[in-house]
Amino acid sequence: GNSVTQMEGPVTLSEEAFLTINCTYTATGYPSLFWYVQYPGEGLQLLLKATKADDKGSNKGFEATYRKETTSFHLEKGSVQVSDSAVYFCALRDNAGNMLTFGGGTRLMVKP
Amino acid sequence: DGGITQSPKYLFRKEGQNVTLSCEQNLNHDAMYWYRQDPGQGLRLIYYSQIVNDFQKGDIAEGYSVSREKKESFPLTVTSAQKNPTAFYLCASSPRGRENTEAFFGQGTRLTVV
């Protein structure tokens, strides 16, 4: 079956530091890949997505590149802000298009 | 505005009672999902429905029930058989059979057993 593995948190950074959150996946075929963000007490919001190999998704300074050869979709941001503190979820949707599979989530804490 | 609405935001239940969480969407999506999230944990799938009048169990369906009588609505009932129901519940919807589209989430319902 499909699975998503992401690095355990919490990840604690100082403001303006570089962020990487690792995500690897297992799936048949060519799934679409997503990063969602969850702020405290809220639902999940789509942050970015990539639908085929070598695509780069980007939004609000965050980027992730779909790497088929390493089955990875690592999230990066060059300079984090306190407002980026949240939980980040990596997810995939398979070729059948019916189900989302989520990673366990990574909590990011950014200190001033 | 199109979106997915969960209500109520906070819900308290006495032990032994059933309680129903509402989820409504006006996005014309075929597929709808219920997830449970415990503190500091990821999402676990409870039930999902890909079409009206049909639904399937997810990974943790015991103690829960759902119905899908209308495309727009997918209510979740937490029954007294669910031994540890205190959690954050998230509803989501997505187009069916389109792998390049994301799921849209509601704002969640926090259920507490008192």
Side-chain angles (χ1 to χ4, degrees):
Chain A
N2 299 333
S3 67
V4 176
T5 303
Q6 54 183 112
M7 60 191 292
E8 291 193 20
V11 173
T12 303
L13 296 172
S14 297
E15 205 164 24
E16 299 183 2
F18 184 85
L19 167 71
T20 300
I21 300 178
N22 290 339
C23 171
T24 57
Y25 67 90
T26 301
T28 55
Y30 297 89
S32 293
L33 302 173
F34 307 89
W35 275 102
Y36 283 85
V37 59
Q38 183 182 34
Y39 298 103
E42 298 186 5
L44 275 66
Q45 304 172 26
L46 180 71
L47 181 59
L48 53 85
K49 69 179 183 182
T51 60
K52 60 183 187 294
D54 300 324
D55 267 2
K56 178 185 283 187
S58 61
N59 185 26
K60 300 181 181 178
F62 291 89
E63 294 183 339
T65 301
Y66 189 144
R67 301 288 188 198
K68 182 68 175 175
E69 64 276 12
T70 55
T71 62
S72 65
F73 192 55
H74 304 321
L75 182 68
E76 296 181 337
K77 187 175 185 182
S79 176
V80 294
Q81 306 300 312
V82 173
S83 57
D84 294 326
S85 298
V87 180
Y88 293 81
F89 290 92
C90 186
L92 70 82
R93 197 170 187 193
D94 63 22
N95 293 111
N98 294 323
M99 294 300 303
L100 269 176
T101 301
F102 285 90
T106 302
R107 180 175 299 277
L108 170 65
M109 300 171 59
V110 181
K111 298 184 175 181
Chain B
D1 279 30
I4 182 165
T5 302
Q6 292 186 240
S7 61
K9 189 170 177 65
Y10 299 97
L11 188 56
F12 297 89
R13 189 196 92 170
K14 293 182 179 180
E15 286 196 27
Q17 285 184 337
N18 292 355
V19 65
T20 297
L21 284 61
S22 170
C23 179
E24 304 276 335
Q25 54 99 359
N26 60 3
L27 300 167
N28 200 34
H29 288 165
D30 286 307
M32 296 187 74
Y33 314 85
W34 274 105
Y35 293 91
R36 170 178 171 143
Q37 186 178 30
D38 292 286
Q41 303 295 313
L43 302 171
R44 292 187 288 170
L45 183 65
I46 305 172
Y47 268 99
Y48 64 99
S49 168
Q50 297 180 25
I51 198 167
V52 174
N53 292 323
D54 187 48
F55 48 83
Q56 285 79 41
K57 293 182 179 180
D59 300 321
I60 56 165
E62 185 175 352
Y64 299 96
S65 65
V66 294
S67 63
R68 187 83 188 278
E69 297 177 0
K70 299 186 300 182
K71 188 175 186 177
E72 301 80 15
S73 179
F74 191 41
L76 173 74
T77 296
V78 184
T79 74
S80 57
Q82 170 51 239
K83 298 306 179 188
N84 185 23
T86 294
F88 190 52
Y89 291 87
L90 287 162
C91 180
S93 70
S94 68
R96 178 169 174 246
R98 290 170 56 186
E99 69 276 9
N100 61 347
T101 56
E102 65 270 25
F104 293 79
F105 282 80
Q107 290 298 295
T109 293
R110 186 167 299 282
L111 174 63
T112 303
V113 174
V114 296

